[in-house]
């Protein structure tokens, strides 16, 4: 059984592990298609979903739990960040689009779109580490 990560250092390490795993999926499974594109949509979706989960792991350590053990939505994270850091809020909205929607659902194969999503994820995780 997985041990729940509780300290800030453990949470950030776990979030970074998600990103590392996502990069590994892209590197070893997604393949190279036409120049500038990945070849296998299944693995791009998997990698983008994994990276998005890393963002959520980091943010979950910052955003207080909701009353009644309700599930947090992207709106919950947006409201939290809106009062704390507008740049990170913008990064979250963009990461949601790049990783969750375009990568995770649509399976975008364009490498720059995926790379931008990963950069946004790193920014958010780094902000969580510092704050």
């Amino acid at each position: 059984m997985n041990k729940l990560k509780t300290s800030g250092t453990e949470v950030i390490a776990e979030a970074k592990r998600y990103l590392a795993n996502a990069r590994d999926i892209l590197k070893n499974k997604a393949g190279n298609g036409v120049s500038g594109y990945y070849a296998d949509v299944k693995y791009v979706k998997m990698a983008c979903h994994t990276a998005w989960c890393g963002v959520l792991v980091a943010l979950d350590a910052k955003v207080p739990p909701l009353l009644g053990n309700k599930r947090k939505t992207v709106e919950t994270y947006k409201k939290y960040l809106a009062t704390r850091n507008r740049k990170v809020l913008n990064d979250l909205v963009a990461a949601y689009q790049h990783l969750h929607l375009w990568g995770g659902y649509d399976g975008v194969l364009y490498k720059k779109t995926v790379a931008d999503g990963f950069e946004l994820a790193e920014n958010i995780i780094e902000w969580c580490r510092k704050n």
Side-chain angles (χ1 to χ4, degrees):
M1 182 174 210
N2 288 340
K3 181 181 165 191
L4 187 62
K5 309 294 186 210
T6 55
S7 79
T9 305
E10 287 178 321
V11 170
I12 296 304
E14 184 72 2
K16 288 181 178 183
R17 189 172 75 92
Y18 273 80
L19 281 183
N21 289 346
R23 282 194 178 90
D24 187 55
I25 292 167
L26 287 175
K27 180 181 175 186
N28 296 315
K29 305 264 183 173
N32 289 314
V34 178
S35 180
Y37 292 85
Y38 291 108
D40 195 328
V41 69
K42 171 186 171 183
Y43 292 108
V44 172
K45 285 181 172 188
M46 188 183 297
C48 288
H49 178 72
T50 302
W52 177 245
C53 287
V55 169
L56 297 181
V57 165
L59 285 172
D60 275 340
K62 296 291 175 194
V63 179
L66 299 176
L67 296 175
N69 290 326
K70 292 182 183 175
R71 183 182 304 229
K72 295 174 190 170
T73 66
V74 73
E75 293 305 317
T76 308
Y77 301 110
K78 287 162 100 176
K79 285 178 186 174
Y80 176 83
L81 290 172
T83 61
R84 285 162 180 80
N85 190 308
R86 298 289 291 176
K87 184 197 179 307
V88 178
L89 170 62
N90 290 336
D91 285 351
L92 175 70
V93 171
Y96 179 77
Q97 291 173 328
H98 283 75
L99 296 173
H100 188 61
L101 298 178
W102 298 336
Y105 280 116
D106 298 339
V108 67
L109 296 174
Y110 190 51
K111 287 183 176 183
K112 287 184 181 178
T113 299
V114 175
D116 287 348
F118 276 66
E119 182 180 337
L120 292 161
E122 288 172 353
N123 294 346
I124 295 165
I125 293 168
E126 184 61 18
W127 179 82
C128 290
R129 184 188 69 78
K130 289 180 178 179
N131 293 290

